Amino acid sequence: MESFKFCITLLVLQTLLTNSRTTEAVSARSPGVFREYIGALFKNVTFSDVPINPNIEFHFLLSFAIDYTNTKSPEPTNGDFLVYWDTDNLNPSHISSIKAKYKNVKVGMSLGGDTVNGKNATFAPTSITSWVRNAIYSITKIAKEYNLDAIDIDYEHFNADPDTFAECIGQLLYYLKQNNVISYTSIAPYADDSVQVRYLALWRKYGHLIDYVNFQFYAYEKGTTIPQFLQYFETQSCNYKGGKILVSFGTNNIGGLSPKHGFFDACTILKRQGKLHGIFIWSADDSMKDHFRYEKLSQDLLASAI
């Protein structure tokens, strides 16, 4: 515990002592990535609805692929994934079209999520070997059909210990990358002990395979202040040491630090320090009501040379 406190204290001191000129140069060279979850709420949002800045890397994350049956009372299928996003508006032809129009756009899928048809989307493998085998087959099939570039792990409920989660997901990521099924990987943890213990077990063993940590900062309490947000960022940077921690907010007003209360001010501070690796938003479905104003502001900030 004392070593952890020391790590946080050291990170905060480094933040205060950072030379702005040096870090601004780093930021200018590395604009970061913008990522957006899309398709979970079936609000008829399309890729072309979302503003896209051509000067940054842009990732859509289809939400979600889930290893559950597609029934009124869904049951786990031990790694046999099905597509649960809005396929009427987000299908393979739409993906081909948006990627042809914008060369900086990549499209991935997120696995798991919170619920499926009102039931928890629980990670519930029968065994490591069988889950990995089924997941490799079903995920590869979906990735090829939709011409996907990335995979995101967003399980939030578990019926397996941390080591089993780490091995199942780690072996899946290894296969997908080793065989060039996908190019980018990410995880989407948040500050809950039962969640963190599993993602940290995965990170310790397979962190070298994970490109981004889509940390759900919007899962913190509503009304988070800028100093609190920056402290949360340093805490997670310490937890996922060496990882590219992406900052985030939800356009469903769920919690955390909102754009109306200083999110972009906090991002500017991180960018000047060379720590802003990217921004992601949950979700495009909710952003329609505000005409995607915060998507544009996020991308403009990432592309700026401040």
Side-chain angles (χ1 to χ4, degrees):
M1 180 62 72
E2 289 302 316
S3 62
F4 176 77
K5 290 180 179 178
F6 175 77
C7 177
I8 295 301
T9 302
L10 183 60
L11 284 167
V12 172
L13 287 173
Q14 289 174 338
T15 296
L16 295 173
L17 296 173
T18 299
N19 183 289
S20 61
R21 291 184 180 178
T22 301
T23 53
E24 283 175 15
V26 172
S27 298
R29 291 195 302 269
S30 306
V33 61
F34 177 81
R35 314 186 98 200
E36 176 126 55
Y37 290 87
I38 187 171
L41 304 182
F42 286 76
K43 293 187 176 180
N44 297 321
V45 62
T46 67
F47 296 124
S48 58
D49 290 330
V50 183
I52 297 172
N53 188 319
N55 299 314
I56 62 167
E57 187 165 346
F58 189 114
H59 294 184
F60 283 110
L61 292 173
L62 297 162
S63 311
F64 292 94
I66 311 174
D67 56 336
Y68 266 70
T69 55
N70 188 11
T71 62
K72 290 184 179 179
S73 299
E75 295 297 330
T77 57
N78 191 38
D80 186 9
F81 284 85
L82 297 176
V83 168
Y84 274 87
W85 59 78
D86 181 4
T87 54
D88 287 339
N89 295 286
L90 305 167
N91 61 38
S93 65
H94 296 132
I95 293 174
S96 296
S97 178
I98 197 69
K99 289 169 80 171
K101 185 175 181 180
Y102 294 98
K103 301 304 181 184
N104 61 318
V105 166
K106 309 295 182 186
V107 181
M109 63 177 149
S110 187
L111 306 187
D114 187 10
T115 62
V116 51
N117 295 347
K119 188 174 184 178
N120 286 349
T122 302
F123 178 76
T126 301
S127 69
I128 293 173
T129 301
S130 61
W131 190 94
V132 171
R133 181 184 64 242
N134 294 338
I136 285 173
Y137 177 80
S138 58
I139 291 299
T140 300
K141 183 179 178 181
I142 295 170
K144 289 183 177 180
E145 179 184 356
Y146 282 81
N147 187 23
L148 300 180
D149 308 285
I151 190 169
D152 174 64
I153 308 301
D154 189 25
Y155 277 106
E156 302 181 7
H157 307 280
F158 308 90
N159 185 20
D161 62 76
D163 288 338
T164 298
F165 178 73
E167 281 305 316
C168 286
I169 300 301
Q171 289 182 34
L172 173 64
L173 297 184
Y174 178 82
Y175 177 89
L176 296 176
K177 273 202 160 182
Q178 191 77 2
N179 291 276
N180 299 314
V181 177
I182 49 91
S183 301
Y184 303 95
T185 64
S186 59
I187 55 175
Y190 59 96
D192 174 272
D193 288 346
S194 66
V195 173
Q196 285 273 65
V197 68
R198 289 169 170 83
Y199 282 95
L200 288 172
L202 172 64
W203 181 261
R204 283 191 292 271
K205 190 163 185 181
Y206 292 99
H208 61 286
L209 298 174
I210 299 168
D211 299 293
Y212 303 107
V213 179
N214 289 7
F215 200 85
Q216 298 183 43
F217 288 97
Y218 45 81
Y220 283 107
E221 65 275 12
K222 198 170 183 178
T224 296
T225 65
I226 293 175
Q228 286 175 323
F229 182 88
L230 294 174
Q231 182 64 68
Y232 295 150
F233 179 86
E234 299 300 345
T235 297
Q236 301 312 326
S237 295
C238 192
N239 283 338
Y240 298 93
K241 188 175 181 180
K244 291 184 177 179
I245 313 296
L246 305 191
V247 296
S248 59
F249 61 91
T251 48
N252 58 353
N253 201 30
I254 186 173
L257 179 61
S258 72
K260 293 181 180 179
H261 295 96
F263 177 81
F264 292 116
D265 293 329
C267 286
T268 298
I269 292 171
L270 292 175
K271 187 174 178 67
R272 286 173 175 164
Q273 296 167 352
K275 298 178 180 179
L276 187 63
H277 302 295
I279 298 171
F280 77 88
I281 295 177
W282 174 270
S283 65
D285 305 54
D286 289 306
S287 297
M288 292 182 70
K289 63 183 182 296
D290 289 321
H291 308 288
F292 304 98
R293 61 177 297 200
Y294 296 124
E295 279 76 359
K296 186 176 187 305
L297 289 171
S298 297
Q299 293 172 70
D300 288 347
L301 175 60
L302 288 170
S304 70
I306 60 172

